[in-house]
Amino acid sequence: MQQMTEEMREIMETEDLKKAEYRELAGKIMVFARDQIMVSMRFLDRALFRMPLVPADTVATYGVNGQVMYYNADYVLQSFKQERNRCTRAFLHMILHCIFSHPFQYEKMERQLWDLACDIAVEKSILDLGLTDVRLDTDVQRERMLKQFEEEVPALTAEKIYHFLKNHPERAEEWLLRTELFEQDDHIHWIPQKEVDAAERTGDTITTDTRTAMMGCHEADTGEEGEDQVEDLDETLVGQTQDDWADVSQHAKLDLETFSREQGFGAGSLLRNLKEALREKYDYGAFLKKFAVLGEEMHINDDEFDYVYYTYGLQLYGNMPLVEPLEYRENKRIREFVIALDTSGSCQGATVEKFLRKTYDILKNTESYFRRVNIHIIQCDSKIQRDVKVTSDEEFDEYMQNVELSGFGGTDFRPVFEYVDEMIARHEFQDLRGLIYFTDGRGTFPERMPDYETAFVFVEEGFSIPEVPSWAIRLVLREDEF
């Protein structure tokens, strides 16, 4: 490899080098960067050879979208001449974006913050590996900044960094000024194609260069050689999706766990980001509906109404139908429910309120609960602090307008279950379907299984999530999932 590097330097010093030779040399440098990573990190084998390398003038530096890896040939030559590891670093940076699923979440994020969060997470993972082949002269500055940042965000995954920046606008402004220190590639190819099409239809103010880049390499002016490469791309590669990359990420995670033990290098950040990318996403609304119960509601049941007999009766007897429609039907609706809110010192008030508000929004849906309900909202830490009974939409609205959290002591789950059992004994509930306990989990669980379904809902905040008793449901959510 050293001999190849020297050969590249000699060629680059030739002033009469033609453009085609520049492209060819830049391509060799990109392949050289990929091979370097493969030697040091063989657990990335599936990811490294998954995308074709395509030269494109539509990117100023590099770009990737999970299907194709683009590079600006002039920039590759210039950066390689300045610092040999810069191309290898950028290549690894883009590969990690893909296995962390960063490009596939672009549509639902505030892009400026998501760009920064993804770049910080990737650079942190690379720095923790401590590999000399991707080390840059400016890494000392990055390491110093990230060490300070970890005091505010313990686990530097893109998702946690993004939510921190979104919830702390003043800190976000400070970190946005440092964007150039962490970015290695252009994220414009992450923009969904439908947004590009919409911009074209509405005549949005997009520059020609930006529009071309947004369209991707297939419609870009990449030059004759670049066009040939695009036409020759393997269709199975071009069709890669988030699910395809999830398989690659799973493979990389399993290999990395073995490889890191053998080699002994720091893979903590890399593993955390891989676990986040592979983390199962939950629909909290669908989960809540599992607690639905069967019950009767006064409503015309169209499925059991026979119009033939009904109209025959009207014709035969005038205004008297032969068969009256059934005025009820069975629906799965949430009727009786307990929401327990852990108000101990370790549960943040704002997070608790967001959870309660989301739960309320789901319950307000007419397809989710009866017109008359029996919902108890219980606040507790080591003892019952407050119990509010809600029987109608108006009462729920009134409660939400004046939410007051109390407690903030230690955590003990047992008093809530004892209290609910007492209410059942007093016939406060006719058919209690379930109890959902929003908590950080740092408390004492009941030993006995209750007579109703129970779910403990945790918010992932960088802390270890405890196991729950075998009779309970364990649901771990991110704050953005509720």
Side-chain angles (χ1 to χ4, degrees), residues 342 344 346-347 380-383 409-415 417 437-447 456 458 464-469:
D342 182 358
S344 64
S346 54
C347 278
C380 48
D381 44 23
S382 59
K383 60 182 180 180
T411 303
D412 190 341
F413 305 123
R414 294 171 296 183
F417 290 89
Y437 210 128
F438 181 73
T439 177
D440 61 4
R442 299 175 182 179
T444 306
F445 293 93
E447 295 181 0
F456 289 92
F458 307 93
S464 58
I465 305 299
E467 295 297 325
V468 301

Side-chain angles (χ1 to χ4, degrees), residues 294-478:
L294 283 173
E296 288 186 353
E297 182 187 13
M298 298 303 294
H299 197 287
I300 293 177
N301 189 342
D302 296 325
D303 295 333
E304 298 183 21
F305 176 53
D306 193 330
Y307 283 96
V308 174
Y309 286 100
Y310 184 80
T311 55
Y312 175 72
L314 291 177
Q315 293 174 0
L316 185 64
Y317 300 110
N319 62 352
M320 182 182 293
L322 184 62
V323 179
E324 288 283 358
L326 296 173
E327 293 186 340
Y328 64 88
R329 63 182 176 186
E330 281 194 326
N331 286 319
K332 277 187 171 294
R333 301 290 177 90
I334 294 174
R335 189 174 194 176
E336 294 187 328
F337 203 76
V338 173
I339 303 172
L341 303 175
D342 182 358
T343 57
S344 64
S346 54
C347 278
Q348 299 179 6
T351 304
V352 171
E353 290 183 23
K354 287 179 182 179
F355 167 78
L356 183 57
R357 195 168 296 278
K358 177 62 175 179
T359 304
Y360 168 58
D361 289 341
I362 295 172
L363 295 179
K364 276 189 64 175
N365 188 316
T366 56
E367 293 302 319
S368 300
Y369 80 116
F370 288 96
R371 289 186 175 87
R372 301 298 295 180
V373 297
N374 181 16
I375 299 174
H376 281 256
I377 304 173
I378 302 173
Q379 296 183 27
C380 48
D381 44 23
S382 59
K383 60 182 180 180
I384 303 298
Q385 294 291 343
R386 191 181 181 192
D387 175 21
V388 175
K389 180 179 179 179
V390 173
T391 61
S392 67
D393 188 53
E394 292 76 18
E395 290 180 5
F396 219 146
D397 277 328
E398 183 179 355
Y399 177 81
M400 288 305 300
Q401 291 172 7
N402 302 283
V403 176
E404 293 182 5
L405 300 178
S406 56
F408 309 107
T411 303
D412 190 341
F413 305 123
R414 294 171 296 183
V416 170
F417 290 89
E418 294 170 0
Y419 181 71
V420 172
D421 289 341
E422 291 173 3
M423 286 195 291
I424 293 175
R426 296 195 306 267
H427 303 290
E428 289 280 345
F429 297 107
Q430 300 300 316
D431 184 21
L432 177 61
R433 184 67 180 91
L435 180 152
I436 185 167
Y437 210 128
F438 181 73
T439 177
D440 61 4
R442 299 175 182 179
T444 306
F445 293 93
E447 295 181 0
R448 184 180 64 85
M449 176 181 176
D451 296 328
Y452 41 85
E453 286 192 48
T454 302
F456 289 92
V457 178
F458 307 93
V459 178
E460 195 174 36
E461 292 287 355
F463 305 109
S464 58
I465 305 299
E467 295 297 325
V468 301
S470 58
W471 44 262
I473 300 171
R474 177 179 180 269
L475 182 66
V476 181
L477 301 174
R478 282 204 309 261

